[in-house]
Amino acid sequence: MDIPTNPIWQQHLFLGAWQTGDGEQVNVREPATDEVISQLKTATPADVERAATIAKAAQKRWMDVPFDQKAEILRRAAALLKERADEINCWNTRECGSIGPKADWELQATYEQAQMAAALPMQPSGEIFPSNMPGKRNYWKRVPIGTVGVIAPWNFPILLSMRSVFPALAMGNCVILKPDPKSSICGGALMAQILEAAGLPEGVFHVLPGGPEVGKGLVEHPLVKMISFTGSTAVGKKIGETCGRMLKKAALELGGNNAQVVLEDADLDIASSCGAWGSFLHQGQICMQTGRHLVHRSVADAYIDRLANRASNLVCGNPREQVHLGPLINETQARRVEDIVNRSVEMGARVVAGGKRNGNYFEATVIADVTPEMPVFSEEVFGPIAPVMAFDSDDSACTLVNESPYGLAAAIHSGSTERALKIANQIQVGMVHINDQTVNNEFQVPFGGMGSSGNSGRFGGPANIEEFTTSQWVSVMEEGIQYPF
């Protein structure tokens, strides 16, 4: 599909409607080729002020829109995602380095998020509590927060922005989205076009592409009542600190160093398939990536052989072709992954498959003889690296999982469900998948981590109602009463 020659986002920002922007115009580069494929108008802190002011005025009107009309707009947005699939997927491939199947999956998952969000406005919005005072009724209900700021990452730019945007809108909030500078077209400008075409009223949704100064302005703005952030733990901690000082709600979905535990009674063909998918999907650039393979010592060599064979069969190249792995997002990240691998090898790790970088491309890599102090084990790599470490007992496997400050996801492979469940009960992560892999997402199931992976916020299904609202108690007396004074 051809890239448009004069798209509206080159000169305009979406501040509830497309408006001329005063920020810098920047080049958009394709990570596979380093070719400039478009230009983008970026926002400034002054645009944050404009967007917040517009959103505050629009939010009361949007809150009062009947639930069935909100649902219809979201269903129309879902339909438009499908209608414009070729265009959106093209941008996901060109702008973000996504291979075709990954782009297809992300769009389908975003479609499901929109359909799920469309069902939220018609859900029960509160409860009635008893009172010990005759004639008194106590209503406890969920009400919109106001304006929600969404700061999204580049790796799954559509899904990880719209999983917050759609439910926040459904619950009656306005939204200001700051997409990552590396994915602001498919994860921002195109989504503005989708929601505008779906009939979302002017002023309800805003897109502000830009760097840290725009994100800082959004987090610190007093009219923005909540921040939903997906990104690194280091940045998330700073956002949480600022929101805490301002008594502002924050949903923080942060990094991960997720473990796959393989017991000696596991099916090694299935476990190695899950391990390869979890480590190499989208070049490992996923917060749920399988970053640590913990394998019982008695089957470790057999597992490594199977995993290395799978890695060696994966083709790495331009995602516009038939490949399994595309490029890492930029050269900085590619060099970082290379450095982590090299430092670990210097400490005694052994590369069994892959291990080589070519520009922004990095081969699917399996590393054996790993120890806990090696960076390939202790750090969130965010690259196609599968480090394998042996363990001797279930208790030692649990200890290794819990040594990481991260607590997002884990997978456990065993022929005994009861044994796997016993381990699941001892590890400190937000999501555990038995006889499956760590990169799991279902739109109807609450999603989130613990520890350095997040503040226990949850996205998905009924959790969205609580996440993107606040509560209000309303009591009613049919007749007033006299108090002692």
Side-chain angles (χ1 to χ4, degrees):
M1 185 172 181
D2 293 334
I3 297 291
T5 56
N6 190 29
I8 193 168
W9 55 76
Q10 286 193 169
Q11 301 290 344
H12 298 79
L13 294 175
F14 192 77
L15 297 171
W18 292 102
Q19 301 184 27
T20 302
D22 297 325
E24 182 184 7
Q25 190 179 65
V26 298
N27 289 331
V28 177
R29 293 185 177 273
E30 183 176 25
T33 64
D34 202 37
E35 175 189 351
V36 176
I37 56 175
S38 188
Q39 291 183 314
L40 178 76
K41 179 64 71 172
T42 57
T44 66
D47 294 315
V48 176
E49 176 65 34
R50 292 168 64 194
T53 302
I54 294 169
K56 178 176 173 58
Q59 194 268 326
K60 176 62 167 64
R61 297 190 299 272
W62 173 240
M63 180 179 66
D64 292 338
V65 170
F67 73 88
D68 56 334
Q69 294 180 30
K70 290 190 181 78
E72 179 60 30
I73 290 169
L74 291 167
R75 284 193 292 267
R76 178 59 181 154
L80 287 167
L81 289 171
K82 289 293 186 73
E83 290 175 20
R84 296 180 63 176
D86 289 345
E87 175 190 7
I88 295 169
N89 288 345
C90 175
W91 278 107
N92 203 339
T93 296
R94 299 292 302 276
E95 187 182 21
C96 305
S98 301
I99 64 172
K102 181 266 185 184
D104 287 336
W105 181 89
E106 182 175 1
L107 189 65
Q108 175 62 30
T110 308
Y111 169 84
E112 292 169 346
Q113 289 285 335
Q115 294 284 20
M116 177 271 296
L120 293 178
M122 62 189 74
Q123 298 303 310
S125 59
E127 301 176 49
I128 300 175
F129 286 82
S131 175
N132 58 6
M133 298 181 66
K136 184 177 182 179
R137 286 170 286 169
N138 290 315
Y139 299 94
W140 184 77
K141 60 180 182 176
R142 308 301 305 188
V143 296
I145 291 171
T147 296
V148 176
V150 177
I151 302 176
W154 51 262
N155 56 337
F156 280 75
I158 305 168
L159 175 61
L160 298 185
S161 60
M162 305 315 287
R163 73 169 180 187
S164 292
V165 170
F166 286 147
L169 293 174
M171 302 316 298
N173 303 287
C174 286
V175 176
I176 303 173
L177 168 65
K178 194 203 86 64
D180 190 278
K182 296 182 284 295
S183 56
S184 291
I185 296 176
C186 67
L190 292 179
M191 297 303 102
Q193 291 183 337
I194 291 289
L195 284 166
E196 183 182 43
L200 189 70
E202 185 173 327
V204 174
F205 178 58
H206 306 252
V207 177
L208 300 180
E213 73 284 352
V214 176
K216 183 174 184 290
L218 191 61
V219 171
E220 295 179 350
H221 202 287
L223 295 181
V224 178
K225 302 300 183 181
M226 173 184 175
I227 295 294
S228 177
F229 171 77
T230 302
S232 73
T233 298
V235 175
K237 287 180 177 180
K238 293 178 181 178
I239 290 174
E241 181 180 353
T242 300
C243 290
R245 288 199 309 269
M246 299 180 69
L247 302 181
K248 179 182 296 191
K249 191 171 187 178
L252 305 175
E253 202 271 280
L254 310 176
N257 190 6
N258 312 288
Q260 174 165 294
V261 178
V262 181
L263 303 178
E264 74 276 11
D265 61 351
D267 184 318
L268 296 186
D269 288 328
I270 290 175
S272 62
S273 175
C274 289
W277 182 264
S279 285
F280 305 137
L281 176 64
H282 195 41
Q283 300 79 259
Q285 299 173 123
I286 307 173
C287 61
M288 296 177 287
Q289 177 212 20
T290 304
R292 297 178 291 159
H293 297 245
L294 307 178
V295 186
H296 194 278
R297 194 174 304 278
S298 64
V299 295
D301 288 343
Y303 177 85
I304 290 169
D305 288 344
R306 286 169 170 79
L307 186 61
N309 183 62
R310 294 182 186 278
S312 298
N313 288 327
L314 298 180
V315 178
C316 182
N318 192 317
R320 297 163 70 184
E321 302 170 358
Q322 291 292 109
V323 298
H324 302 100
L325 277 72
L328 295 175
I329 192 64
N330 54 33
E331 186 178 6
T332 299
Q333 178 60 14
R335 288 186 179 278
R336 177 182 175 274
V337 173
E338 182 181 45
D339 176 68
I340 288 174
V341 171
N342 289 342
R343 285 189 287 131
S344 297
V345 169
E346 290 171 1
M347 296 173 70
R350 174 169 54 95
V351 175
V352 182
K356 295 184 177 63
R357 179 178 76 87
N358 180 15
N360 291 354
Y361 297 96
F362 206 103
E363 297 174 328
T365 298
V366 177
I367 300 180
D369 300 335
V370 172
T371 58
E373 66 272 11
M374 293 178 181
V376 77
F377 185 88
S378 61
E379 297 183 23
E380 182 184 25
V381 179
F382 233 61
I385 312 301
V388 183
M389 180 177 175
F391 66 85
D392 295 301
S393 68
D394 292 7
D395 286 344
S396 63
C398 293
T399 299
L400 287 169
V401 173
N402 291 335
E403 277 183 356
S404 172
Y406 296 103
L408 186 56
I412 304 168
H413 284 262
S414 174
S416 168
T417 301
E418 288 305 312
R419 183 181 177 191
L421 284 170
K422 183 177 179 181
I423 292 174
N425 289 334
Q426 298 177 66
I427 58 179
Q428 296 157 7
V429 299
M431 300 172 286
V432 182
H433 308 292
I434 294 173
N435 291 326
D436 200 350
Q437 43 79 38
T438 57
V439 188
N440 259 278
N441 180 81
E442 293 190 42
F443 66 92
Q444 76 280 12
V445 182
F447 174 107
M450 301 177 181
S452 292
S453 292
N455 62 346
S456 298
R458 292 293 181 266
F459 304 100
N464 283 323
I465 297 175
E466 180 175 351
E467 199 68 37
F468 294 102
T469 61
T470 188
S471 63
Q472 184 181 58
W473 172 26
V474 178
S475 68
V476 177
M477 294 287 291
E478 295 297 335
E479 296 181 4
I481 60 174
Q482 289 279 358
Y483 286 92
F485 56 89

